Amino acid sequence: MNIGGVNLKQTSGVSDPGACCDACTTTSGCAGFTFVKRGNDGSPPQCWLKSSVGALTPDKSVISGAVEGPSPPSPPSPPSPPSPPSPPSPCTPGSTPLACHGRLGLGGQFGTQLVDQLGKAVQLRGMSVFNPGGYDDCITSDSVQFLVSNWGISVLRIPMSGDPGVYNQRAQYVDYARDAGIYAIVDFHYTGSTPVIDDNARNFWREMATRFKDYDNVFYETFNEPGPDADWNADIKPFHEAMLNIIRPIDPHAIVLCGTRRWSQMVWQVPGNEVQPSKNVMYVRHSYAATHKDYDEVSALLDKIPIFMSEWGVCDASGSGNIDGGSAQTWVDMMAAKSHNPHGVTISWANWGYDDKGESCAALQPGACPAHDWDRTSQSGNMVKGYLKESPEAVFGGLTGFVV
């Protein structure tokens, strides 16, 4: 959208709308901004600061915004007819995360922050479905809508395999998420093995990209958890790049999540050796509170690479065992950029898991799903419901942002 008004000045060296917004907030007399995207002819992006703002007009080549506070008086100008009222913001009370934020991308100070269609920082929080073929009675259109309306989730992670019987069943969960106004992660869910570039993987990602290329709410997680014997340079990175070569000609816009070595632990192997092409690529970290305490090591990377915690639990790495509430809260606070996060970049997350298996990380008590008792929560489920209700809005990396 293009915003009317009087130009104050052009700011050079600005490459994304978040930085253009930052320039406005630190410039005296700036009331708004217009960021002109890079042209198809290769012309560089432009950032225009405005001393006053007016009506919004549709223009896909620019992103505009206004900052709070009164603007200085504009220089005298001939009288003109009053502008029509600006259209209401999509982020109105009661609007869904998808309606509010639209297609997501990356931006912010370091280019590692998940941002919405207007360049505002966003942190998604939600739940993961169980392993492919397990506990599918827990996921219905009603249960997903219940999680959105009552727990406040904004993302649903959907583990799949290359078996058409599995992915044809679970592909409908993406529609449940879209119908409920939230985001969905399509997860190629293989665990602890070395990724193999074969027809199983290629055909899966060709099918998924073709199905969901017109969906604004879909992320693609190309491999869940590469094992400890998988080498980042020799095995994992080449696999992700091969899958990008399948996905990108079909869906050039969706964010792609790339698993890392040793059950998606070793995100520190990525900086300086990122997957290419790197546009809209994030890196996967998985953490279980009773096993993993490396909050600072993970957050230290947030000025270098974008990270998505597509699976984490309050228990140990087996999915069961002891629950560690103190460590779980520390992870939640770090991901929300409240503590242990020097760069102020949030990490979006999906909790493991929304199922009623008799283990400590299951959010529901055994028997809840067959009874359609979507709120018969376990200790883990009670904790996660609390985390989902924390901090409705915050400020991240110099950008006004939303926790959704």
Side-chain angles (χ1 to χ4, degrees), residues 106-107 109-114 232 258-260 264-276 278 280-285 297-309 341 343 345-348:
L106 295 171
Q109 180 181 357
F110 308 107
T112 59
Q113 174 67 58
L114 192 66
W232 174 256
C258 295
T260 51
S264 286
Q265 298 293 302
M266 300 176 71
V267 286
W268 44 84
Q269 291 189 333
V270 175
N273 200 9
E274 292 88 349
V275 169
Q276 299 298 327
S278 61
N280 279 350
V281 169
M282 302 182 75
Y283 298 93
V284 171
R285 166 68 189 217
E297 289 84 349
V298 174
S299 66
L301 303 173
L302 289 172
D303 64 335
K304 301 174 182 68
I305 59 170
I307 296 175
F308 199 118
M309 190 81 72
N341 192 325
H343 304 299
V345 176
T346 65
I347 298 177
S348 293

Side-chain angles (χ1 to χ4, degrees), residues 239-262:
F239 176 87
H240 293 317
E241 291 178 342
M243 297 308 108
L244 276 174
N245 285 337
I246 299 294
I247 294 168
R248 284 302 185 221
I250 303 169
D251 187 343
H253 303 298
I255 293 176
V256 174
L257 310 180
C258 295
T260 51
R261 188 178 180 187
R262 202 178 69 198

Side-chain angles (χ1 to χ4, degrees), residues 53 80 119 131 243 263-264 289 299 313:
V53 296
S80 59
N131 293 332
M243 297 308 108
W263 299 283
S264 286
S299 66

